[in-house]
Structure formats: C-alpha cells, structure tokens
Amino acid sequence: MSVCLRPSNPSDLQYLAPIEEQADALFLELFHPEHWDSAPTGADRLAQGGFIIVAEQQSGRLVGFVHVLEHSGIAHLEQLSVLPDFGRRGIGGRLVGAAKQAAKDRGYHELTLRTYADVPWNAQFYRGLGFEEEEPGTEFHRNLAAVEKRMGLDEFGRRVQMHVILHP
C-alpha cells in the first residue's frame, strides 16, 4: 500500500472530520463517554490557522491528516488522525515527521502537543518520535489545558503536554 503525504488543498477539507471521527472511535471504545464532541469541519480547522498535511492513497482516498496550529511563535500539533483500518502501518509517524519538518522549514525550533499520558497510542507513541513531557509554559499552552479541562477531557485520564526540539 503506497501512501503519499502532501499539503492539504481545499478539496480535502470535506474528508477531515470523517477521518477524525473514525479515528476517535478508538477513544469511544476505550472511554465509553456519555458525550464526545464532534470533530470540527475541515473549514473550521482551516479557520484555526496553521497548516494541514494529508496522507493520500494512490487512488486519491485520504486516510489521515495532521493539523499544526501556528500561534505567537508556537507550532502546536493540534490533531493527528489516521483511519483505524490504516493504523499501525507507520502513517501516523510519517505524518508527525512531515509536521516536524514543515514546522522547522517555517522557522520554528520546537513542536508541542497535548495528549493522554496513559493511552498507548498517545504519549507513548509520541515519546517514540522524540517528544518529551513538559509543563505548559506559555499563555497559549495554559489556555489549551484550560479548554481541555472545560471540555472534560481530563475525566478520561491524565493529560500531558509534550514537545520536541526541531534540530537545524
């Protein structure tokens, strides 16, 4: 199976929410929440700023994406989603690698993210890609943590912030 990574274009936006919702099914199975927010539309993601990289099969079908926010000199990996049928094939790792390279190319020295500490495909996965835990040290990151708390994400497990240095 050949998958190429590329910057998103306007025709991709309609596929982002369905990919994220299918990927979120893994959390629903694990957490059994009473309520889980729907994924933002692709247009909503685009309006948040930053950049989106997609994983596309040769057939043209999108199977995953990564969205990186750019805010006040910070590059923050906001979302990584891969269709469950395509999981554990290295696509997520490749998307994160592409996000790291794109952030570095845009002049950022680090990439941050927030995730679950004890969900195997979260913090453990990112550690394997060079990310380390850190405390939220900026207003931007503290605001993200506060939003997660208001959304009730911490009810399902400990949330952590992680970062990786983007070496020249």
PDB file of all heavy atoms in Angstrom, residues 74-106:
ATOM      1  N   ILE A  74       4.587  29.881  18.122  1.00  0.00           N
ATOM      2  CA  ILE A  74       4.499  28.496  18.586  1.00  0.00           C
ATOM      3  C   ILE A  74       3.923  27.631  17.467  1.00  0.00           C
ATOM      4  O   ILE A  74       2.942  28.007  16.830  1.00  0.00           O
ATOM      5  CB  ILE A  74       3.582  28.396  19.828  1.00  0.00           C
ATOM      6  CG1 ILE A  74       4.191  29.192  20.984  1.00  0.00           C
ATOM      7  CG2 ILE A  74       3.313  26.947  20.214  1.00  0.00           C
ATOM      8  CD1 ILE A  74       3.247  29.420  22.144  1.00  0.00           C
ATOM      9  N   ALA A  75       4.535  26.468  17.260  1.00  0.00           N
ATOM     10  CA  ALA A  75       3.973  25.445  16.367  1.00  0.00           C
ATOM     11  C   ALA A  75       3.439  24.341  17.279  1.00  0.00           C
ATOM     12  O   ALA A  75       4.191  23.769  18.079  1.00  0.00           O
ATOM     13  CB  ALA A  75       5.029  24.903  15.420  1.00  0.00           C
ATOM     14  N   HIS A  76       2.151  24.066  17.170  1.00  0.00           N
ATOM     15  CA  HIS A  76       1.485  23.117  18.071  1.00  0.00           C
ATOM     16  C   HIS A  76       0.714  22.087  17.273  1.00  0.00           C
ATOM     17  O   HIS A  76      -0.196  22.440  16.511  1.00  0.00           O
ATOM     18  CB  HIS A  76       0.545  23.876  19.016  1.00  0.00           C
ATOM     19  CG  HIS A  76      -0.144  22.986  19.991  1.00  0.00           C
ATOM     20  ND1 HIS A  76       0.469  22.519  21.127  1.00  0.00           N
ATOM     21  CD2 HIS A  76      -1.393  22.453  19.971  1.00  0.00           C
ATOM     22  CE1 HIS A  76      -0.384  21.749  21.784  1.00  0.00           C
ATOM     23  NE2 HIS A  76      -1.509  21.677  21.107  1.00  0.00           N
ATOM     24  N   LEU A  77       1.054  20.825  17.435  1.00  0.00           N
ATOM     25  CA  LEU A  77       0.354  19.738  16.767  1.00  0.00           C
ATOM     26  C   LEU A  77      -1.015  19.592  17.436  1.00  0.00           C
ATOM     27  O   LEU A  77      -1.121  19.061  18.533  1.00  0.00           O
ATOM     28  CB  LEU A  77       1.168  18.449  16.861  1.00  0.00           C
ATOM     29  CG  LEU A  77       0.755  17.310  15.946  1.00  0.00           C
ATOM     30  CD1 LEU A  77       1.903  16.336  15.758  1.00  0.00           C
ATOM     31  CD2 LEU A  77      -0.484  16.612  16.384  1.00  0.00           C
ATOM     32  N   GLU A  78      -2.023  20.086  16.760  1.00  0.00           N
ATOM     33  CA  GLU A  78      -3.377  20.113  17.303  1.00  0.00           C
ATOM     34  C   GLU A  78      -4.088  18.774  17.125  1.00  0.00           C
ATOM     35  O   GLU A  78      -4.806  18.325  18.012  1.00  0.00           O
ATOM     36  CB  GLU A  78      -4.180  21.230  16.629  1.00  0.00           C
ATOM     37  CG  GLU A  78      -5.662  21.248  16.922  1.00  0.00           C
ATOM     38  CD  GLU A  78      -6.004  21.434  18.377  1.00  0.00           C
ATOM     39  OE1 GLU A  78      -5.160  21.898  19.160  1.00  0.00           O
ATOM     40  OE2 GLU A  78      -7.138  21.097  18.752  1.00  0.00           O
ATOM     41  N   GLN A  79      -3.907  18.141  15.977  1.00  0.00           N
ATOM     42  CA  GLN A  79      -4.638  16.905  15.713  1.00  0.00           C
ATOM     43  C   GLN A  79      -3.853  16.005  14.782  1.00  0.00           C
ATOM     44  O   GLN A  79      -3.312  16.463  13.776  1.00  0.00           O
ATOM     45  CB  GLN A  79      -6.001  17.218  15.082  1.00  0.00           C
ATOM     46  CG  GLN A  79      -6.877  16.017  14.844  1.00  0.00           C
ATOM     47  CD  GLN A  79      -7.319  15.352  16.133  1.00  0.00           C
ATOM     48  OE1 GLN A  79      -7.570  16.025  17.130  1.00  0.00           O
ATOM     49  NE2 GLN A  79      -7.398  14.036  16.135  1.00  0.00           N
ATOM     50  N   LEU A  80      -3.819  14.733  15.119  1.00  0.00           N
ATOM     51  CA  LEU A  80      -3.302  13.680  14.255  1.00  0.00           C
ATOM     52  C   LEU A  80      -4.379  12.619  14.189  1.00  0.00           C
ATOM     53  O   LEU A  80      -4.808  12.113  15.229  1.00  0.00           O
ATOM     54  CB  LEU A  80      -2.011  13.086  14.830  1.00  0.00           C
ATOM     55  CG  LEU A  80      -1.484  11.831  14.119  1.00  0.00           C
ATOM     56  CD1 LEU A  80      -1.029  12.155  12.703  1.00  0.00           C
ATOM     57  CD2 LEU A  80      -0.338  11.214  14.922  1.00  0.00           C
ATOM     58  N   SER A  81      -4.852  12.311  12.991  1.00  0.00           N
ATOM     59  CA  SER A  81      -5.885  11.283  12.828  1.00  0.00           C
ATOM     60  C   SER A  81      -5.545  10.413  11.635  1.00  0.00           C
ATOM     61  O   SER A  81      -5.204  10.918  10.561  1.00  0.00           O
ATOM     62  CB  SER A  81      -7.265  11.923  12.598  1.00  0.00           C
ATOM     63  OG  SER A  81      -7.714  12.598  13.741  1.00  0.00           O
ATOM     64  N   VAL A  82      -5.667   9.099  11.843  1.00  0.00           N
ATOM     65  CA  VAL A  82      -5.486   8.113  10.780  1.00  0.00           C
ATOM     66  C   VAL A  82      -6.670   7.158  10.869  1.00  0.00           C
ATOM     67  O   VAL A  82      -7.057   6.740  11.975  1.00  0.00           O
ATOM     68  CB  VAL A  82      -4.153   7.345  10.943  1.00  0.00           C
ATOM     69  CG1 VAL A  82      -4.028   6.240   9.895  1.00  0.00           C
ATOM     70  CG2 VAL A  82      -2.972   8.302  10.850  1.00  0.00           C
ATOM     71  N   LEU A  83      -7.242   6.823   9.727  1.00  0.00           N
ATOM     72  CA  LEU A  83      -8.348   5.867   9.724  1.00  0.00           C
ATOM     73  C   LEU A  83      -7.918   4.580  10.416  1.00  0.00           C
ATOM     74  O   LEU A  83      -6.809   4.073  10.159  1.00  0.00           O
ATOM     75  CB  LEU A  83      -8.792   5.560   8.292  1.00  0.00           C
ATOM     76  CG  LEU A  83      -9.467   6.699   7.536  1.00  0.00           C
ATOM     77  CD1 LEU A  83      -9.705   6.297   6.079  1.00  0.00           C
ATOM     78  CD2 LEU A  83     -10.783   7.092   8.198  1.00  0.00           C
ATOM     79  N   PRO A  84      -8.751   4.022  11.303  1.00  0.00           N
ATOM     80  CA  PRO A  84      -8.357   2.819  12.041  1.00  0.00           C
ATOM     81  C   PRO A  84      -7.908   1.661  11.145  1.00  0.00           C
ATOM     82  O   PRO A  84      -6.984   0.926  11.508  1.00  0.00           O
ATOM     83  CB  PRO A  84      -9.621   2.455  12.822  1.00  0.00           C
ATOM     84  CG  PRO A  84     -10.302   3.769  13.027  1.00  0.00           C
ATOM     85  CD  PRO A  84     -10.040   4.544  11.764  1.00  0.00           C
ATOM     86  N   ASP A  85      -8.519   1.498   9.984  1.00  0.00           N
ATOM     87  CA  ASP A  85      -8.115   0.421   9.077  1.00  0.00           C
ATOM     88  C   ASP A  85      -6.692   0.596   8.550  1.00  0.00           C
ATOM     89  O   ASP A  85      -6.115  -0.338   7.994  1.00  0.00           O
ATOM     90  CB  ASP A  85      -9.065   0.328   7.879  1.00  0.00           C
ATOM     91  CG  ASP A  85     -10.435  -0.200   8.263  1.00  0.00           C
ATOM     92  OD1 ASP A  85     -10.583  -0.719   9.391  1.00  0.00           O
ATOM     93  OD2 ASP A  85     -11.357  -0.097   7.433  1.00  0.00           O
ATOM     94  N   PHE A  86      -6.126   1.781   8.721  1.00  0.00           N
ATOM     95  CA  PHE A  86      -4.783   2.074   8.242  1.00  0.00           C
ATOM     96  C   PHE A  86      -3.809   2.299   9.400  1.00  0.00           C
ATOM     97  O   PHE A  86      -2.678   2.721   9.188  1.00  0.00           O
ATOM     98  CB  PHE A  86      -4.804   3.286   7.304  1.00  0.00           C
ATOM     99  CG  PHE A  86      -5.529   2.998   6.027  1.00  0.00           C
ATOM    100  CD1 PHE A  86      -6.903   3.142   5.951  1.00  0.00           C
ATOM    101  CD2 PHE A  86      -4.839   2.541   4.911  1.00  0.00           C
ATOM    102  CE1 PHE A  86      -7.585   2.837   4.772  1.00  0.00           C
ATOM    103  CE2 PHE A  86      -5.509   2.234   3.740  1.00  0.00           C
ATOM    104  CZ  PHE A  86      -6.880   2.384   3.676  1.00  0.00           C
ATOM    105  N   GLY A  87      -4.273   2.024  10.615  1.00  0.00           N
ATOM    106  CA  GLY A  87      -3.435   2.190  11.790  1.00  0.00           C
ATOM    107  C   GLY A  87      -2.324   1.163  11.842  1.00  0.00           C
ATOM    108  O   GLY A  87      -2.374   0.116  11.181  1.00  0.00           O
ATOM    109  N   ARG A  88      -1.300   1.485  12.602  1.00  0.00           N
ATOM    110  CA  ARG A  88      -0.165   0.593  12.854  1.00  0.00           C
ATOM    111  C   ARG A  88       0.586   0.224  11.579  1.00  0.00           C
ATOM    112  O   ARG A  88       1.142  -0.856  11.456  1.00  0.00           O
ATOM    113  CB  ARG A  88      -0.626  -0.633  13.625  1.00  0.00           C
ATOM    114  CG  ARG A  88      -1.351  -0.254  14.927  1.00  0.00           C
ATOM    115  CD  ARG A  88      -1.629  -1.411  15.821  1.00  0.00           C
ATOM    116  NE  ARG A  88      -0.443  -2.117  16.253  1.00  0.00           N
ATOM    117  CZ  ARG A  88       0.399  -1.746  17.231  1.00  0.00           C
ATOM    118  NH1 ARG A  88       0.184  -0.632  17.874  1.00  0.00           N
ATOM    119  NH2 ARG A  88       1.433  -2.478  17.557  1.00  0.00           N
ATOM    120  N   ARG A  89       0.585   1.165  10.626  1.00  0.00           N
ATOM    121  CA  ARG A  89       1.327   0.959   9.384  1.00  0.00           C
ATOM    122  C   ARG A  89       2.373   2.058   9.167  1.00  0.00           C
ATOM    123  O   ARG A  89       2.915   2.190   8.079  1.00  0.00           O
ATOM    124  CB  ARG A  89       0.367   0.944   8.192  1.00  0.00           C
ATOM    125  CG  ARG A  89      -0.627  -0.182   8.239  1.00  0.00           C
ATOM    126  CD  ARG A  89      -1.486  -0.181   7.014  1.00  0.00           C
ATOM    127  NE  ARG A  89      -2.593  -1.111   7.166  1.00  0.00           N
ATOM    128  CZ  ARG A  89      -3.454  -1.389   6.211  1.00  0.00           C
ATOM    129  NH1 ARG A  89      -3.340  -0.826   5.028  1.00  0.00           N
ATOM    130  NH2 ARG A  89      -4.433  -2.234   6.418  1.00  0.00           N
ATOM    131  N   GLY A  90       2.585   2.876  10.195  1.00  0.00           N
ATOM    132  CA  GLY A  90       3.589   3.922  10.101  1.00  0.00           C
ATOM    133  C   GLY A  90       3.091   5.240   9.537  1.00  0.00           C
ATOM    134  O   GLY A  90       3.855   6.201   9.448  1.00  0.00           O
ATOM    135  N   ILE A  91       1.816   5.313   9.178  1.00  0.00           N
ATOM    136  CA  ILE A  91       1.292   6.543   8.569  1.00  0.00           C
ATOM    137  C   ILE A  91       1.284   7.686   9.574  1.00  0.00           C
ATOM    138  O   ILE A  91       1.691   8.806   9.260  1.00  0.00           O
ATOM    139  CB  ILE A  91      -0.111   6.303   7.975  1.00  0.00           C
ATOM    140  CG1 ILE A  91      -0.016   5.275   6.841  1.00  0.00           C
ATOM    141  CG2 ILE A  91      -0.721   7.608   7.484  1.00  0.00           C
ATOM    142  CD1 ILE A  91      -1.353   4.758   6.347  1.00  0.00           C
ATOM    143  N   GLY A  92       0.865   7.413  10.806  1.00  0.00           N
ATOM    144  CA  GLY A  92       0.858   8.456  11.833  1.00  0.00           C
ATOM    145  C   GLY A  92       2.249   8.993  12.092  1.00  0.00           C
ATOM    146  O   GLY A  92       2.464  10.207  12.180  1.00  0.00           O
ATOM    147  N   GLY A  93       3.218   8.097  12.195  1.00  0.00           N
ATOM    148  CA  GLY A  93       4.599   8.522  12.407  1.00  0.00           C
ATOM    149  C   GLY A  93       5.122   9.354  11.251  1.00  0.00           C
ATOM    150  O   GLY A  93       5.831  10.341  11.452  1.00  0.00           O
ATOM    151  N   ARG A  94       4.765   8.961  10.036  1.00  0.00           N
ATOM    152  CA  ARG A  94       5.184   9.738   8.867  1.00  0.00           C
ATOM    153  C   ARG A  94       4.536  11.119   8.873  1.00  0.00           C
ATOM    154  O   ARG A  94       5.174  12.117   8.515  1.00  0.00           O
ATOM    155  CB  ARG A  94       4.834   8.986   7.587  1.00  0.00           C
ATOM    156  CG  ARG A  94       5.732   7.786   7.325  1.00  0.00           C
ATOM    157  CD  ARG A  94       5.383   7.048   6.056  1.00  0.00           C
ATOM    158  NE  ARG A  94       5.425   7.945   4.897  1.00  0.00           N
ATOM    159  CZ  ARG A  94       4.718   7.747   3.783  1.00  0.00           C
ATOM    160  NH1 ARG A  94       3.925   6.693   3.662  1.00  0.00           N
ATOM    161  NH2 ARG A  94       4.808   8.593   2.772  1.00  0.00           N
ATOM    162  N   LEU A  95       3.255  11.186   9.254  1.00  0.00           N
ATOM    163  CA  LEU A  95       2.572  12.485   9.318  1.00  0.00           C
ATOM    164  C   LEU A  95       3.227  13.391  10.362  1.00  0.00           C
ATOM    165  O   LEU A  95       3.440  14.580  10.118  1.00  0.00           O
ATOM    166  CB  LEU A  95       1.081  12.311   9.613  1.00  0.00           C
ATOM    167  CG  LEU A  95       0.225  11.874   8.442  1.00  0.00           C
ATOM    168  CD1 LEU A  95      -1.131  11.357   8.920  1.00  0.00           C
ATOM    169  CD2 LEU A  95       0.034  13.035   7.454  1.00  0.00           C
ATOM    170  N   VAL A  96       3.566  12.837  11.517  1.00  0.00           N
ATOM    171  CA  VAL A  96       4.240  13.637  12.547  1.00  0.00           C
ATOM    172  C   VAL A  96       5.603  14.084  12.036  1.00  0.00           C
ATOM    173  O   VAL A  96       5.998  15.241  12.219  1.00  0.00           O
ATOM    174  CB  VAL A  96       4.361  12.863  13.875  1.00  0.00           C
ATOM    175  CG1 VAL A  96       5.225  13.631  14.869  1.00  0.00           C
ATOM    176  CG2 VAL A  96       2.980  12.600  14.473  1.00  0.00           C
ATOM    177  N   GLY A  97       6.334  13.196  11.369  1.00  0.00           N
ATOM    178  CA  GLY A  97       7.626  13.575  10.797  1.00  0.00           C
ATOM    179  C   GLY A  97       7.494  14.712   9.796  1.00  0.00           C
ATOM    180  O   GLY A  97       8.299  15.645   9.781  1.00  0.00           O
ATOM    181  N   ALA A  98       6.451  14.635   8.961  1.00  0.00           N
ATOM    182  CA  ALA A  98       6.213  15.710   7.984  1.00  0.00           C
ATOM    183  C   ALA A  98       5.845  17.012   8.688  1.00  0.00           C
ATOM    184  O   ALA A  98       6.270  18.094   8.262  1.00  0.00           O
ATOM    185  CB  ALA A  98       5.115  15.299   7.006  1.00  0.00           C
ATOM    186  N   ALA A  99       5.071  16.919   9.774  1.00  0.00           N
ATOM    187  CA  ALA A  99       4.706  18.115  10.539  1.00  0.00           C
ATOM    188  C   ALA A  99       5.945  18.740  11.174  1.00  0.00           C
ATOM    189  O   ALA A  99       6.109  19.965  11.172  1.00  0.00           O
ATOM    190  CB  ALA A  99       3.670  17.768  11.607  1.00  0.00           C
ATOM    191  N   LYS A 100       6.826  17.904  11.710  1.00  0.00           N
ATOM    192  CA  LYS A 100       8.064  18.407  12.308  1.00  0.00           C
ATOM    193  C   LYS A 100       8.905  19.127  11.254  1.00  0.00           C
ATOM    194  O   LYS A 100       9.409  20.226  11.495  1.00  0.00           O
ATOM    195  CB  LYS A 100       8.856  17.253  12.937  1.00  0.00           C
ATOM    196  CG  LYS A 100       8.231  16.711  14.205  1.00  0.00           C
ATOM    197  CD  LYS A 100       8.766  15.356  14.633  1.00  0.00           C
ATOM    198  CE  LYS A 100      10.185  15.300  14.988  1.00  0.00           C
ATOM    199  NZ  LYS A 100      10.573  13.953  15.534  1.00  0.00           N
ATOM    200  N   GLN A 101       9.047  18.519  10.091  1.00  0.00           N
ATOM    201  CA  GLN A 101       9.849  19.124   9.028  1.00  0.00           C
ATOM    202  C   GLN A 101       9.225  20.431   8.544  1.00  0.00           C
ATOM    203  O   GLN A 101       9.925  21.427   8.342  1.00  0.00           O
ATOM    204  CB  GLN A 101      10.015  18.147   7.856  1.00  0.00           C
ATOM    205  CG  GLN A 101      10.946  18.677   6.774  1.00  0.00           C
ATOM    206  CD  GLN A 101      12.359  18.914   7.274  1.00  0.00           C
ATOM    207  OE1 GLN A 101      12.979  18.029   7.859  1.00  0.00           O
ATOM    208  NE2 GLN A 101      12.888  20.108   7.058  1.00  0.00           N
ATOM    209  N   ALA A 102       7.904  20.442   8.364  1.00  0.00           N
ATOM    210  CA  ALA A 102       7.229  21.661   7.902  1.00  0.00           C
ATOM    211  C   ALA A 102       7.366  22.778   8.937  1.00  0.00           C
ATOM    212  O   ALA A 102       7.605  23.939   8.582  1.00  0.00           O
ATOM    213  CB  ALA A 102       5.759  21.375   7.605  1.00  0.00           C
ATOM    214  N   ALA A 103       7.244  22.435  10.224  1.00  0.00           N
ATOM    215  CA  ALA A 103       7.399  23.446  11.272  1.00  0.00           C
ATOM    216  C   ALA A 103       8.826  23.993  11.263  1.00  0.00           C
ATOM    217  O   ALA A 103       9.044  25.208  11.365  1.00  0.00           O
ATOM    218  CB  ALA A 103       7.054  22.853  12.634  1.00  0.00           C
ATOM    219  N   LYS A 104       9.797  23.108  11.133  1.00  0.00           N
ATOM    220  CA  LYS A 104      11.203  23.534  11.068  1.00  0.00           C
ATOM    221  C   LYS A 104      11.431  24.435   9.857  1.00  0.00           C
ATOM    222  O   LYS A 104      12.076  25.485   9.969  1.00  0.00           O
ATOM    223  CB  LYS A 104      12.100  22.300  11.002  1.00  0.00           C
ATOM    224  CG  LYS A 104      13.565  22.596  11.043  1.00  0.00           C
ATOM    225  CD  LYS A 104      14.342  21.301  11.179  1.00  0.00           C
ATOM    226  CE  LYS A 104      15.384  21.256  10.101  1.00  0.00           C
ATOM    227  NZ  LYS A 104      16.141  20.022  10.100  1.00  0.00           N
ATOM    228  N   ASP A 105      10.875  24.040   8.704  1.00  0.00           N
ATOM    229  CA  ASP A 105      11.022  24.847   7.488  1.00  0.00           C
ATOM    230  C   ASP A 105      10.394  26.227   7.634  1.00  0.00           C
ATOM    231  O   ASP A 105      10.805  27.170   6.954  1.00  0.00           O
ATOM    232  CB  ASP A 105      10.388  24.137   6.285  1.00  0.00           C
ATOM    233  CG  ASP A 105      11.148  22.883   5.868  1.00  0.00           C
ATOM    234  OD1 ASP A 105      12.289  22.673   6.335  1.00  0.00           O
ATOM    235  OD2 ASP A 105      10.569  22.090   5.086  1.00  0.00           O
ATOM    236  N   ARG A 106       9.412  26.349   8.511  1.00  0.00           N
ATOM    237  CA  ARG A 106       8.744  27.634   8.747  1.00  0.00           C
ATOM    238  C   ARG A 106       9.437  28.442   9.834  1.00  0.00           C
ATOM    239  O   ARG A 106       8.951  29.499  10.231  1.00  0.00           O
ATOM    240  CB  ARG A 106       7.280  27.401   9.108  1.00  0.00           C
ATOM    241  CG  ARG A 106       6.464  26.866   7.946  1.00  0.00           C
ATOM    242  CD  ARG A 106       5.103  26.368   8.421  1.00  0.00           C
ATOM    243  NE  ARG A 106       4.364  25.793   7.324  1.00  0.00           N
ATOM    244  CZ  ARG A 106       3.246  26.309   6.815  1.00  0.00           C
ATOM    245  NH1 ARG A 106       2.742  27.415   7.321  1.00  0.00           N
ATOM    246  NH2 ARG A 106       2.634  25.711   5.820  1.00  0.00           N
TER     247      ARG A 106
END
